[in-house]
Amino acid sequence: MHIHPSGPLRGCLTVPGDKSISHRAVMLGALANGTTHITGFLMGEDCLSTIDCFRKMGVEIEVREDEVIVEGVGLHGLCEPEEALYTGNSGTTTRLLCGILAGQPFTATLNGDASIQKRPMGRVIKPLREMGASIEGKNDNYCPLTLYPSELHGIEYRLPVASAQLKSAILLAGLYAEGQTTVIEPAPSRDHTERMFRALGVEIDTEGSTITLDPPEDLHAVDIAVPGDISSAAFFLTAGAIVPGSELTIRNVGVNPTRTGVIDVLRDMGASITEDNFRDESEPVCDLTVRASALHGVEIGGAIIPRLIDELPVIAVAAAFAEGETVIRDAQELKVKESNRIAAMVRELGRAGVDVEETEDGMIIRGGKTPRGASFETYGDHRIAMSMAVLALGAEGVSRIDDPEVVAISYPGFFDTLGQLGG
Ligand code: S3P
């Protein structure tokens, strides 16, 4: 695919549903008593992998054009799958399913694509074993993972990384444990699991960085409206900020405070972003409007990192257009995402002539000189593909993206929307 430098991007758009919330809606809907209607569900490959895994455990899930209907089987109603559960490219499916499978009275195996087979699972295996789970993994750290029937008990666990996938896996296992389960976070990570648990009637207490769950008798199905994914909106917020003359309104974006670091950082850089029509449902939602502005470099590190971890590749693109130095630190988790996103972004920004330096835990970008179009690699990573597409809009000269279809993991239709807005 070729991308040409863009004139102003203007108009209104909606982005597909939040990936994290879509996964959890299917998982908790499956474990609830009753029927869950999910609207705004993300029909991306990752979330379809979650649906597929639950179907293999006997859950009836109907996918319609505008909603997904999950017939809950109750906490103890999953069936033993006849074959391995395939989680594709999805870390959230793999890690959260570990938590659920740890508490089942049957054996199941989880495996995914080449990227999933390289992602660390030891962080989930360790606390689940402490809870009594019986798990085997390749080198005790990688997929395929096999979970055997076992009795679980609650633990208190201090997370070594601020990871919502890890936190959620432990809390999901806690549904099946004897006694309370407590997790302590080093910094706040996305809290969609906790919010959805509360909505389904689970007793879960958050006090500062400590989250405690009491195992429930059952979960009561509720309908779930998934807001637009701020991680997808981030590409348009950045494009709107860097392409001169742009003004974009993105409607119905989830603005859970554990996810809005990208708005804070872009504003810090000088971007104009306004919020309208705010409503606080079980997840807060609003419309965001971005207008092109001159950007300047900033320092990004510490507790904000988990609030923007998935947006760092596109924030690095914003930094390339920002006058002066942007330092990203404390972001070593980027190395174990769908690709090594530090190495990938440093390499691809370098191809565009951006002055960028890789560090142990992030990168330093000296921006302000217009990047040049180039031929970009995606490393099979949806967020690298969309980040480089955004860079290409503001670059000088034509760019090429090697496998644009990877965007379907989280944002089918990304390039069509970009085109409709003038990109
Ligand atoms: C997610 C948590 C984050 C994030 C991922 C989705 C989730 O991963 O990067 O895209 O839905 O819980 P970590 O928990 O590994 O930080």
Side-chain angles (χ1 to χ4, degrees):
M1 167 175 292
H2 290 93
I3 302 180
H4 294 261
S6 172
L9 299 166
R10 302 186 79 89
C12 273
L13 66 146
T14 54
V15 290
D18 188 278
K19 184 151 81 70
S20 296
I21 299 174
S22 295
H23 283 299
R24 288 159 171 82
V26 170
M27 292 182 182
L28 297 192
L31 300 180
N33 292 340
T35 304
T36 299
H37 294 257
I38 309 168
T39 48
F41 184 83
L42 170 61
M43 301 289 178
E45 288 169 12
D46 272 8
C47 298
L48 296 176
S49 293
T50 292
I51 289 184
D52 195 48
C53 289
F54 279 87
R55 281 183 173 153
K56 284 191 177 138
M57 291 188 286
V59 182
E60 257 180 59
I61 304 174
E62 189 185 335
V63 177
R64 295 196 184 155
E65 202 175 306
D66 55 350
E67 70 174 348
V68 170
I69 303 166
V70 184
E71 298 298 341
V73 295
L75 266 180
H76 303 282
L78 295 177
C79 301
E80 178 158 2
E82 281 170 15
E83 50 188 299
L85 300 172
Y86 183 72
T87 60
N89 191 244
S90 176
T92 306
T93 312
T94 311
R95 296 203 177 106
L96 270 59
L97 258 178
C98 273
I100 294 172
L101 292 174
Q104 302 307 315
F106 54 76
T107 299
T109 295
L110 287 171
N111 205 0
D113 69 6
S115 153
I116 274 295
Q117 291 177 29
K118 283 195 229 134
R119 298 185 67 183
M121 297 295 154
R123 57 178 64 185
V124 192
I125 295 176
K126 184 169 181 279
L128 294 178
R129 278 192 184 146
E130 274 182 37
M131 295 176 84
S134 170
I135 312 180
E136 270 171 17
K138 190 172 164 201
N139 297 333
D140 253 7
N141 196 23
Y142 299 103
C143 279
L145 300 169
T146 300
L147 295 100
Y148 301 94
S150 33
E151 298 288 316
L152 303 184
H153 52 83
I155 55 167
E156 182 178 299
Y157 196 75
R158 200 173 275 278
L159 305 183
V161 277
S163 158
Q165 292 179 358
L166 173 54
K167 168 176 69 175
S168 302
I170 299 169
L171 293 173
L172 286 162
L175 292 175
Y176 295 95
E178 172 91 35
Q180 280 189 336
T181 296
T182 298
V183 290
I184 304 160
E185 296 193 275
S189 67
R190 63 194 71 194
D191 64 354
H192 307 301
T193 304
E194 296 92 301
R195 284 172 185 257
M196 209 177 283
F197 269 155
R198 275 184 206 112
L200 272 69
V202 179
E203 230 179 275
I204 182 157
D205 237 49
T206 302
E207 250 194 71
S209 54
T210 303
I211 303 144
T212 303
L213 172 128
D214 279 286
E217 289 282 301
D218 43 36
L219 314 182
H220 313 291
V222 293
D223 289 345
I224 296 171
V226 181
D229 197 329
I230 190 164
S231 298
S232 297
F235 300 107
F236 292 99
L237 291 176
T238 305
I242 65 174
V243 177
S246 297
E247 179 171 334
L248 292 175
T249 295
I250 314 163
R251 297 207 191 284
N252 195 43
V253 182
V255 284
N256 179 318
T258 60
R259 298 284 300 281
T260 48
V262 62
I263 298 178
D264 298 352
V265 163
L266 288 175
R267 279 182 178 152
D268 254 17
M269 288 179 142
S272 156
I273 300 176
T274 51
E275 295 170 30
D276 294 291
N277 200 12
F278 181 89
R279 52 239 188 253
D280 201 352
E281 288 147 18
S282 72
E283 291 278 351
V285 177
C286 77
D287 301 338
L288 295 171
T289 298
V290 60
R291 293 178 187 87
S293 346
L295 303 183
H296 53 81
V298 292
E299 301 227 343
I300 308 166
I304 199 169
I305 294 292
R307 296 180 51 233
L308 46 63
I309 189 73
D310 291 340
E311 292 68 71
L312 280 169
V314 79
I315 288 172
V317 168
F321 289 85
E323 200 61 54
E325 192 171 272
T326 293
V327 181
I328 300 174
R329 61 168 70 94
D330 304 319
Q332 50 277 63
E333 273 294 297
L334 284 184
K335 295 182 186 173
V336 290
K337 295 296 177 187
E338 286 84 327
S339 69
N340 176 340
R341 287 181 175 163
I342 295 180
M345 285 310 295
V346 167
R347 190 144 175 238
E348 298 316 299
L349 289 176
R351 282 189 216 270
V354 176
D355 180 354
V356 55
E357 186 186 319
E358 181 167 351
T359 61
E360 245 324 281
D361 59 352
M363 63 190 96
I364 301 171
I365 298 153
R366 295 173 195 92
K369 192 175 131 237
T370 305
R372 56 170 186 262
S375 195
F376 298 117
E377 259 182 78
T378 68
Y379 309 86
D381 184 331
H382 54 130
R383 298 203 201 280
I384 302 294
M386 291 186 274
S387 298
M388 297 321 293
V390 169
L391 178 131
L393 296 175
E396 255 162 28
V398 181
S399 298
R400 197 182 152 270
I401 305 257
D402 66 350
D403 58 343
E405 60 283 356
V406 293
V407 304
I409 290 288
S410 65
Y411 200 154
F414 170 76
F415 288 107
D416 294 339
T417 304
L418 207 53
Q420 284 155 16
L421 296 167

